[in-house]
Amino acid sequence: MNSLNDELFNPVLMENIKNVYRKISSASIRSGRSPFDVKLIAVTKTVPVEKVQEAIDLGLRIFGENRVQEAQGKILHLKSHCPECQFEWHLIGHLQRNKAKAAVELFDLIHTVDSIKLAEELNKHAVKEGKMQRILIQVKLAQEETKHGVMKEDLIPLISAVSGMSNLNLEGLMTMPPFFDDPQKARPYFRELSELIAEFRPQQFAIESVFMHRNADSALKLGQARGAAICAAVMRDLPVAEYAPREIKQSVVGKGGADKQQVQHMVRVLLNLNETPQADAADALAVALCHSYQQKALDRVSAAHQLRGGRLR
């Protein structure tokens, strides 16, 4: 797919894109963030593929679609015309379970997971595709019939269920406030979403790393997305630790290739639990145990180093 010459660029579209980036930069600087941490998603629902091509020629690479069926033709057309291009496609509209298979095949990030049943369906097809499907959980904060999402009281069970699904990577939460002419009126809804995360604030933050072996570009993109979650912890002054899956299993079970049942068993034994925890809960506890062991080891090394230093004096 050859880029158009400069004189053939759509001048109106080019100016619109420049204006959006100016607004992103201004808002980022005012809030103390780097503009490079903000991603621009061009929503292309009802937009013909020729217009999407113009946006691509102007440098846009991340696109959002509302409907699986409409997106399918655009995505397949553009990929066939430029197989080497690094596009990223997001599903930003409500997703029905009967479209889960196609969604996994087409989209890099699905923004609108709102139930355990939908998550299970996505995970099933992601396993078949051999794909780690990136998702966001949509939270319903506005009491509007037209808005979708999981209710606040059901959020933690959904997060817990998703964390135990092998081929889903939960990268964050998403919400849609009511439309207001004054954008300031939307702030309480996003503040409420932030408070949901802060409600269960721990003293430390440990996360399992994800290794993308296909190529460095995939690893970089996934790292950028996961970085948003880590930044949230840093902004709350939480020390952040990250451990590889094999490192966690080696720490808890004694071998890096342990399966989920072995992890569950050892978590129960080590914590002296009355019953075996569910797989997702065991995984979370295993990360915590691994972090605890690492911290104790570091403390011992630090103490020994200080003692040795005292003797040398």
Side-chain angles (χ1 to χ4, degrees), residues 33 36-39 41 62 88 90 108-111 132-136 169-173 205 207-208 210 212 217-233 242:
R33 298 180 61 186
F36 298 104
D37 292 337
V38 180
K39 290 186 177 182
I41 303 174
I62 308 177
E88 192 170 307
H90 294 200
D108 299 285
L109 178 60
I110 297 172
H111 290 221
M132 182 61 71
Q133 179 63 59
R134 300 160 54 204
I135 67 167
L136 302 177
N169 185 40
L170 176 58
E171 297 190 353
L173 307 179
F205 181 91
I207 190 170
E208 182 177 348
V210 178
M212 299 291 290
D217 186 68
S218 295
L220 178 60
K221 288 180 178 178
L222 182 57
Q224 289 172 337
R226 295 178 68 254
I230 296 174
C231 285
E242 190 171 11

Side-chain angles (χ1 to χ4, degrees), residues 7 18 68 76 103 114-115 135 145 157 210 219 225 228 237 244 279 289 291-292:
E7 61 269 18
K18 287 181 179 179
V68 173
L76 295 179
D114 59 3
S115 71
I135 67 167
E145 293 184 2
V210 178
D237 298 322
L289 285 168
H291 181 60
S292 175

Side-chain angles (χ1 to χ4, degrees), residues 30 187 252:
R30 286 198 308 270
R187 286 182 178 272
V252 174

Side-chain angles (χ1 to χ4, degrees), residues 1-10 50 53-54 57-58:
M1 187 183 296
N2 296 322
S3 296
L4 301 177
N5 294 327
D6 289 346
E7 61 269 18
L8 296 181
F9 283 152
N10 183 325
E50 294 79 14
Q53 178 59 60
E54 289 182 9
D57 289 326
L58 288 169

